[in-house]
Amino acid sequence: MRIAIAADHNGVALKDRLIGALRAAGHEVDDRGTDGAVGVVDYPPLCEDVCRRVVAGTADRGIVVGGSGQGEVIACNKIAGIRAGLCPDVWHAEISRGNNDANVLVLGAKVIDPDLAEQVVASWLTTPFKGAEHARRVEMIATLERGESLLG
């Protein structure tokens, strides 16, 4: 799988660890930054970069790592075609993929243990979308994204 990944200054160490695990698992990883040589980094451009690659199809999935992940998940979900999930544990990872067909995973480096983060990523990458009633709901989300109402 082709995975674009980025992190702000808070998430560099976890991003680097995840890149190693992803490559060891056979994934093609596109490291979009940041590296440890820079100071404070604004996360919205990193989120946009990863998300635009997913939407364009040059990446199958995206991963963004921040401090808490809260700002990152908000920024990612502003990009049309992105369904980003903030996943602090495996259960959330399974729900974000299985029910919501999330195509971007957001992690908070300050709030998740690195070992657990690797488990979350592995689960998120292998959990299939369930379809059925969940597909109907994902389409409703796309309707809202287009600025259309669901209220009739």
Side-chain angles (χ1 to χ4, degrees), residues 2 17 23 25 29 32-33 37 41 43 46 53 63-64 81 85-86 88 107 117 132 134 144:
R2 297 169 304 159
R17 177 174 171 161
R23 287 185 174 147
V29 181
R32 306 304 304 159
V41 175
Y43 59 83
L46 296 168
R53 290 174 189 285
I63 300 173
V64 177
L86 176 60
L107 297 169
H134 302 292
L144 293 172

Side-chain angles (χ1 to χ4, degrees), residues 75-101:
C76 288
N77 281 314
K78 298 297 181 188
I79 304 297
I82 294 300
R83 291 172 308 283
L86 176 60
C87 299
D89 53 47
V90 170
W91 185 82
H92 282 91
E94 291 171 351
I95 293 295
S96 78
R97 282 289 312 135
N99 293 13
N100 307 119
D101 199 19

Side-chain angles (χ1 to χ4, degrees), residues 5 13-27 29 118:
I5 188 169
L14 181 57
K15 174 188 65 91
D16 291 345
R17 177 174 171 161
L18 293 175
I19 288 171
L22 289 165
R23 287 185 174 147
H27 298 288
V29 181
E118 285 189 29

